[in-house]
Amino acid sequence: MCGIALIISGIRICKASSLFLESVPPASSPKAEQLVFSIDDLKAALRGRGPDSLSSKKVFLYSNTSSTVEEQEIISFIEGEEEKERDLAYLQRFEKKNKCLFGADGEAHELENGFPKFAAELHFVGATLQLRGINPIVQPLVDISGNILVYNGEIFGGIYINSDSNDTEILLQALGKCCPSNSHLCTITDSCDEKRQSSIPGVLSAIKGPWAVIYWQESSKTLWFGRDAIGRRSLLVHWPTLEDGRFMLSSVSPVSSIEQSSGIMLGFEAENGFNKLKFWEELPCGIYSICFGSHKSDGFIFGEVRKHEWKNAMVKELLDWERVSVEPKPEDAELSHCKIAREQHGPAQASISGPAKTVLIALKESVMRRTSLHTIFQAVTCDIRQEAHAPVAVLFSGGLDSMILAALLDECLDHSYEIDLLNVSFDGQSAPDRISAKAGVKELRRIAPSRRWKLVEIDADLSKLDLETKHVMSLINPANTYMDLNIGIALWLAARGSGWVYEGNNNDIDEDLECVEYKSKARIVLVGSGADEQCAGYGRHKTKYRQGSWLGLHEEMKLDMQRIWKRNLGRDDRCIADNGKEARFPFLDEDVIRTLLDIPLWEVANLDQPSGTGDKKILREVAQLLGLYEASVLPKRAIQFGTRIARESNRKNFGSNRAANQASAGSAAIHMPSNLT
């Protein structure tokens, strides 16, 4: 997990016709006053995501208006001693050819520290949480050609990475071999195919795993950026406006960007366009480029934003999210009814279908990819293995999804390691998620008695979390509802991993053991996101099924998957990563998604059956195959209700649940309490 950011100043940015931004004038200076936070604020926000290193690089763009062509040459210089010798050599060759350097105003420019005064600036920032590779790395990475990469993601397939390599370094090498775009046409040239060179969209499309990327291609003076097709890594964008002409990308919003908004508003008022937090937006999933140029007429450097097509067929299929079979034929329905009858009169596992076994295999491979211990990770943990250090944790409610992940993690992780199960409660031992978590640990100990399971009980009092609430508000930004805030606080506290554990023999009753303070050191956290969307786990799925049968259910599930990047994943990634932890989503593995789409919908869910049976039917069968019989019949319970943070939030902000429901049903604006603004 890393934090990445970019601020572009002094450039007129516009979008291609397929996008939706009019051209705006550039900010007058990289130090203009419009920005409501400083670069140090941005670095501080990123540092939580990347505690191992933090650095930055600047690229200065300069327009050569001495050229006689209509579109002028752009010259770039990289800040930093490592690059200075290379750039000075280029500068000397350029001066010899052109006699002098000219700026956007047509006048000769004086030099500052051996370089010309710049007309525009690209400021790259990278904070790193390193989990792979032998040697430590510091982002941004710069290669010998002047290409710059800041990367937040994991490569689980598509590009070969051996166990000793760092995937960011390998990606920089792969991108460095790509054919340059045509700097005058801002397009990928046909010569790429002729030369059998990869294109940047081709390389990024091939990656299996979550990613967000910002990449400067020096040869074409082109900036590339984007996030994976599912949106598993956060990347926020500030599109230039008349008030603030900068173009910005960041993994997260700085806290100070909401401090200057008096009377922070949530809910209805935000929907009506009055929310000042709309400085940032979630960048829609995809691959984008900005090609830079300069017109002789006014000398301004401009950049045109374009969105590129995915080059991988599997990615396109996942985006379409079309299932092989949606509506059962009469004979399929009859077989399904017979199967239900058999389950009612015999052992459930005996009647489990082949599709469930196929999903189990895909899920286990997904967990294995996300928990294999790479070289640097082993180097960190081997010296303290005797302390039973837990390298991987699970966000754990004791519900169906987290129980499956915990059981699969046990099968994939060396048994010398403990597994931390992170459980949050806002109602002590009485919260539903705490009750199910305790029951879940007992079932896990039954199927895996040799594993050292640690249930980390994280108890919170919402009335004492004012500072933390304000911080989480910046993390969920641009999400802005009480539901987002409640979920964000619960995720942030869980990922922080500070709580209590019962020390002693695993098979003892917890109440008879010593309760000690504990903080999880796991840097990888498995999260069950995507299970409900793909397997019909929400109540609205049953409603759609009753209203529109199988086709209505399919369309609702498709909608959920196609908007999960905006509604869930960016928010969840930001809240978890702020603790220096990397969220990994096994249910959103590309192969798992494809496997589930290859299974008929009536095998995935049967919403004619009661809750706890027909919803997420195929995952309930997977749980039974793992021996998790008690977990296989648990009903769906959202984190905000299972932890009871929603109840406590309603009492704090509205006085009661009833008052909160009346406010959400009315037209009044929802405001955060004054003590948080």
Side-chain angles (χ1 to χ4, degrees):
M1 176 61 62
C2 301
I4 63 177
L6 167 73
I7 298 179
I8 299 180
S9 304
I11 294 177
R12 178 178 290 154
I13 299 289
C14 60
K15 293 186 183 179
S17 57
S18 60
L19 298 171
F20 46 87
L21 179 74
E22 299 297 330
S23 175
V24 296
S28 58
S29 161
K31 296 181 180 179
E33 295 298 325
Q34 299 98 324
L35 193 60
V36 296
F37 53 86
S38 69
I39 188 66
D40 289 336
D41 294 328
L42 187 59
K43 288 180 178 180
L46 296 175
R47 188 76 201 217
R49 299 174 61 91
D52 295 339
S53 67
L54 175 69
S55 187
S56 64
K57 290 287 183 185
K58 292 181 181 178
V59 173
F60 304 122
L61 297 185
Y62 187 85
S63 174
N64 170 26
T65 56
S66 63
S67 174
T68 58
V69 298
E70 179 65 22
E71 193 169 284
Q72 307 302 320
E73 179 183 5
I74 296 295
I75 310 162
S76 63
F77 301 95
I78 303 175
E79 176 191 60
E81 292 300 320
E82 297 176 4
E83 296 80 18
K84 191 168 185 177
E85 184 176 345
R86 174 181 63 81
D87 283 345
L88 281 174
Y90 176 82
L91 177 62
Q92 291 166 359
R93 293 196 303 273
F94 185 84
E95 282 188 293
K96 185 176 181 180
K97 176 181 177 182
N98 296 281
K99 307 302 182 185
C100 63
L101 288 167
F102 290 85
D105 54 5
E107 298 295 328
H109 266 230
E110 61 183 282
L111 300 183
E112 289 185 344
N113 300 320
F115 292 98
K117 288 183 177 179
F118 58 91
E121 173 186 298
L122 284 71
H123 196 161
F124 298 82
V125 183
T128 304
L129 172 72
Q130 187 169 352
L131 299 174
R132 301 171 78 167
I134 297 176
N135 302 311
I137 68 163
V138 177
Q139 295 199 69
L141 295 184
V142 184
D143 67 15
I144 59 173
S145 300
N147 302 312
I148 300 176
L149 175 66
V150 282
Y151 181 68
N152 172 29
E154 297 287 343
I155 299 177
F156 296 131
I159 299 175
Y160 176 71
I161 311 287
N162 65 43
S163 61
D164 291 340
S165 297
N166 177 270
D167 47 0
T168 305
E169 291 180 319
I170 297 299
L171 179 59
L172 180 61
Q173 295 172 18
L175 292 172
K177 297 174 183 177
C178 288
C179 184
S181 62
N182 187 317
S183 59
H184 293 289
L185 300 177
C186 292
T187 58
I188 307 299
T189 60
D190 294 334
S191 61
C192 291
D193 293 333
E194 296 172 3
K195 297 176 182 178
R196 296 185 178 180
Q197 284 183 286
S198 299
S199 67
I200 289 175
V203 170
L204 295 177
S205 297
I207 296 174
K208 284 188 174 183
W211 57 266
V213 65
I214 306 171
Y215 176 69
W216 171 253
Q217 189 179 46
E218 169 65 18
S219 61
S220 64
K221 304 296 185 288
T222 303
L223 179 79
W224 294 85
F225 59 97
R227 59 196 292 208
D228 71 80
I230 303 167
R232 292 162 291 187
R233 289 291 174 260
S234 169
L235 193 59
L236 304 179
V237 60
H238 167 68
W239 298 112
T241 63
L242 290 174
E243 293 76 22
D244 192 331
R246 295 169 185 80
F247 173 83
M248 304 184 206
L249 297 166
S250 179
S251 297
V252 66
S253 164
V255 174
S256 55
S257 68
I258 68 167
E259 286 179 344
Q260 298 185 23
S261 297
S262 60
I264 294 170
M265 297 165 286
L266 301 179
F268 294 104
E269 195 158 3
E271 292 175 5
N272 291 328
F274 299 112
N275 196 329
K276 297 183 180 181
L277 297 187
K278 289 302 183 182
F279 185 90
W280 295 104
E281 298 176 18
E282 295 272 4
L283 179 72
C285 301
I287 301 169
Y288 302 80
S289 68
I290 303 180
C291 182
F292 298 98
S294 175
H295 287 299
K296 195 175 183 67
S297 58
D298 59 12
F300 278 122
I301 296 177
F302 67 87
E304 184 177 14
V305 183
R306 289 179 176 267
K307 189 173 184 179
H308 300 265
E309 294 289 331
W310 296 102
K311 300 299 182 180
N312 184 287
M314 182 177 181
V315 171
K316 294 179 180 179
E317 289 177 6
L318 296 184
L319 289 173
D320 292 339
W321 212 80
E322 291 298 338
R323 190 175 298 280
V324 173
S325 300
V326 173
E327 297 190 81
K329 298 176 182 177
E331 55 269 28
D332 296 322
E334 182 62 29
L335 287 173
S336 179
H337 291 147
C338 291
K339 180 181 176 183
I340 294 172
R342 288 197 304 270
E343 290 174 356
Q344 293 173 344
H345 294 89
Q349 190 165 350
S351 62
I352 291 177
S353 60
K357 297 173 183 177
T358 303
V359 171
L360 175 58
I361 293 171
L363 277 172
K364 183 174 180 179
E365 291 174 350
S366 173
V367 172
M368 180 67 78
R369 280 190 284 272
R370 285 158 175 77
T371 57
S372 59
L373 302 181
H374 299 279
T375 301
I376 190 171
F377 204 59
Q378 292 173 342
V380 169
T381 60
C382 63
D383 293 337
I384 53 175
R385 189 172 295 206
Q386 67 274 16
E387 300 177 9
H389 174 70
V392 185
V394 181
L395 288 193
F396 190 72
S397 67
L400 176 64
D401 308 334
S402 62
M403 285 289 287
I404 289 174
L405 293 182
L408 290 175
L409 178 57
D410 171 68
E411 295 184 4
C412 297
L413 194 64
D414 188 290
H415 272 73
S416 61
Y417 294 105
E418 291 181 342
I419 293 177
D420 285 347
L421 306 172
L422 309 177
N423 178 264
V424 179
S425 170
F426 288 82
D427 193 20
Q429 301 301 313
S430 301
D433 276 6
R434 177 61 52 79
I435 295 170
S436 59
K438 285 181 171 290
V441 171
K442 291 180 180 179
E443 189 164 27
L444 289 170
R445 288 171 179 166
R446 177 180 58 77
I447 67 167
S450 62
R451 174 71 66 185
R452 287 177 55 84
W453 301 97
K454 271 195 172 179
L455 178 63
V456 185
E457 299 184 9
I458 303 163
D459 292 322
D461 183 344
L462 192 60
S463 65
K464 299 178 180 179
L465 294 176
D466 286 352
L467 290 177
E468 291 85 350
T469 298
K470 187 174 184 179
H471 179 66
V472 173
M473 284 177 64
S474 73
L475 297 177
I476 68 170
N477 185 16
N480 55 9
T481 68
Y482 279 113
M483 183 183 73
D484 290 312
L485 182 59
N486 290 338
I487 293 172
I489 292 172
L491 290 175
W492 186 80
L493 288 171
R496 189 171 63 169
S498 296
W500 301 84
V501 298
Y502 289 95
E503 292 285 7
N505 189 297
N506 271 348
N507 295 318
D508 288 342
I509 299 173
D510 285 345
E511 285 69 17
D512 296 335
L513 305 177
E514 181 184 4
C515 185
V516 298
E517 198 168 358
Y518 178 80
K519 182 173 177 62
S520 174
K521 295 181 175 64
R523 303 181 103 192
I524 296 172
V525 181
L526 299 187
V527 187
S529 301
D532 291 310
E533 288 81 0
Q534 296 183 83
C535 300
Y538 292 121
R540 64 176 177 272
H541 290 146
K542 179 165 285 192
T543 300
K544 287 292 182 179
Y545 174 70
R546 288 171 176 169
Q547 293 174 347
S549 191
W550 293 104
L551 184 59
L553 172 60
H554 169 72
E555 291 299 325
E556 185 70 11
M557 294 168 68
K558 179 178 180 178
L559 177 62
D560 281 342
M561 284 298 292
Q562 291 180 338
R563 65 186 179 186
I564 191 174
W565 63 272
K566 187 172 185 178
R567 296 185 60 161
N568 302 76
L569 295 179
R571 174 200 66 202
D572 297 354
D573 173 80
R574 292 189 292 275
C575 292
I576 293 170
D578 185 64
N579 294 284
K581 308 292 176 75
E582 179 166 283
R584 296 186 177 177
F585 309 105
F587 289 106
L588 291 173
D589 178 89
E590 290 85 350
D591 291 340
V592 171
I593 296 174
R594 181 70 266 169
T595 297
L596 286 167
L597 286 174
D598 286 341
I599 296 172
L601 184 53
W602 59 91
E603 292 284 358
V604 173
N606 184 348
L607 300 187
D608 288 324
Q609 295 181 275
S611 176
T613 304
D615 54 317
K616 298 201 287 191
K617 168 177 168 287
I618 199 160
L619 292 186
R620 298 185 187 283
E621 294 177 350
V622 167
Q624 291 170 17
L625 289 172
L626 291 167
L628 302 172
Y629 301 111
E630 294 175 24
S632 70
V633 296
L634 291 176
K636 158 71 180 175
R637 189 167 51 237
I639 186 173
Q640 64 269 34
F641 303 119
T643 62
R644 291 223 165 126
I645 187 175
R647 186 188 72 176
E648 298 306 306
S649 174
N650 289 341
R651 289 175 175 175
K652 178 180 180 181
N653 297 309
F654 300 99
S656 67
N657 282 322
R658 176 177 295 180
N661 292 333
Q662 290 173 346
S664 64
S667 57
I670 300 177
H671 294 266
M672 286 302 297
S674 59
N675 63 331
L676 296 183
T677 61

